[in-house]
Amino acid sequence: MEVFTSETSRRGGARQPHYAGTYEDRLKAVYDKIDSREPFRYDAEKDPLYRLARDRYTRLGKLAMRDTMGKAAALTGGYASSYGQQVGQQAYDAQLQNLDAVVPELYQLAYNAYRGEGSALGEQAASLASRQKEEYSRYRDELDDYREGKALQRALAQERYEREQAAAQQAYQRQKDALSAQQKNYANLTAVIKASGYAPTDDELTSSGMTRAAADALRQEYLRSKNLLPEQIAAAAAKASSSSKSGGSRAGSGSSVKTAIGNVLPFAANKLNRGSTAKRKMELN
């Protein structure tokens, strides 16, 4: 299992560090050995050193017995005797007594080995426990760094979110204000055109969102309502001319037509010029 470094955690890595537990199994195995150790017991027959010493002293005892019995036989002219057997047995037993004297020493050696094994297991357990502690301490440091990094990321993300929300709200408010101003300008410009037949400029159309075609349609409507369209003026002039012909002489009729046209055209000019006054009164944002 991978253990991530502190540097990785400080960078706010996406993966959370995990405790590897590298020494868990090894430490458990050592503890099991310590717990399962039996109390010290010494069995000479199972001690390889004792068996070696026994074989050696047995061999020496047999040699001593033969040598002693040979010397006893020489004293009796080469004949075996009960004396020779007796002294030979004594020489053999003396060597075996030396074996018995070695047993305490062998016991101490075995006990020292038992204690040494226990000490070695204890030292091994202490070493593994120290390494385990260091590994866990590194893991805790990495985990703390990881959590701090994540907390910092969350704080930065929240700050960025709030900043974006505020910017979006401001943009929305600006758009709303602009739309409200445009609607107000549109209503004002519509009222001015309908009241005076005013011809708006390109900037005024842009600020109100009104198209040139819509403005022209409103202006045409105004002119039509006031009989100021060119065809209406022409029709009025023709009507006046016809009336004059039916009611008087040729010279008199010409004078009547001029009078009728003069009455209409100044009126039209006055109506169209009212747009300048209306423009001054119009409040556009």
Side-chain angles (χ1 to χ4, degrees):
M1 186 178 296
E2 185 177 3
V3 177
F4 298 97
T5 63
S6 297
E7 185 61 29
T8 301
S9 299
R10 289 192 184 96
R11 293 198 300 268
R15 295 178 297 178
Q16 179 176 343
H18 297 282
Y19 176 59
T22 306
Y23 304 98
E24 294 287 343
D25 293 340
R26 294 169 61 184
L27 186 59
K28 182 179 182 303
V30 174
Y31 283 148
D32 288 343
K33 286 182 179 180
I34 293 175
D35 293 339
S36 62
R37 290 187 79 210
E38 296 181 356
F40 177 74
R41 295 186 182 87
Y42 182 72
D43 186 351
E45 294 298 329
K46 296 180 180 180
D47 186 356
L49 293 179
Y50 174 80
R51 289 197 296 270
L52 288 175
R54 183 187 59 191
D55 293 343
R56 178 174 180 272
Y57 283 111
T58 299
R59 186 171 62 255
L60 290 175
K62 290 179 179 180
L63 291 175
M65 184 175 63
R66 284 198 300 270
D67 183 60
T68 302
M69 290 180 67
K71 290 179 180 180
L75 293 176
T76 59
Y79 295 99
S81 64
S82 59
Y83 172 75
Q85 292 179 350
Q86 182 178 359
V87 293
Q89 185 64 42
Q90 290 175 352
Y92 179 82
D93 293 341
Q95 291 296 328
L96 293 183
Q97 288 178 358
N98 291 333
L99 175 62
D100 293 338
V102 171
V103 171
E105 182 179 350
L106 296 177
Y107 173 91
Q108 189 62 45
L109 288 174
Y111 180 69
N112 290 342
Y114 176 84
R115 292 188 59 187
E117 181 185 17
S119 298
L121 288 173
E123 292 174 0
Q124 186 179 6
S127 176
L128 290 173
S130 177
R131 295 179 187 179
Q132 181 192 46
K133 183 178 180 180
E134 290 179 4
E135 182 183 59
Y136 186 75
S137 178
R138 286 196 305 271
Y139 160 73
R140 292 298 304 177
D141 291 341
E142 292 166 6
L143 185 61
D144 290 343
D145 291 339
Y146 171 81
R147 288 172 175 171
E148 290 176 4
K150 284 298 181 183
L152 178 59
Q153 285 183 343
R154 287 192 295 270
L156 292 176
Q158 180 65 25
E159 181 182 351
R160 182 169 57 253
Y161 171 78
E162 293 176 356
R163 188 167 57 250
E164 291 174 351
Q165 287 294 104
Q169 182 63 32
Q170 291 176 357
Y172 171 76
Q173 189 61 44
R174 286 195 297 269
Q175 184 179 12
K176 183 179 178 181
D177 293 343
L179 180 60
S180 177
Q182 187 182 64
Q183 291 173 343
K184 182 178 180 181
N185 291 341
Y186 189 96
N188 289 341
L189 187 58
T190 299
V192 169
I193 296 174
K194 285 184 175 181
S196 65
Y198 172 67
T201 65
D202 290 340
D203 290 341
E204 291 168 342
L205 291 175
T206 301
S207 66
S208 66
M210 181 182 293
T211 64
R212 174 63 67 182
D216 290 343
L218 290 173
R219 190 165 180 272
Q220 288 292 100
E221 181 182 349
Y222 168 80
L223 294 176
R224 183 177 293 105
S225 68
K226 300 300 182 181
N227 295 317
L228 296 178
L229 291 175
E231 59 269 23
Q232 290 175 327
I233 295 175
K239 182 178 181 181
S241 175
S242 176
S243 297
S244 298
K245 287 180 180 181
S246 61
S249 64
R250 185 175 186 84
S253 64
S255 176
S256 299
V257 171
K258 290 180 180 179
T259 301
I261 294 174
N263 291 334
V264 173
L265 290 179
F267 172 77
N270 290 334
K271 287 292 185 180
L272 292 176
N273 288 333
R274 286 175 57 190
S276 300
T277 303
K279 180 181 178 182
R280 288 193 297 270
K281 293 181 178 181
M282 183 177 63
E283 295 180 0
L284 295 178
N285 291 335

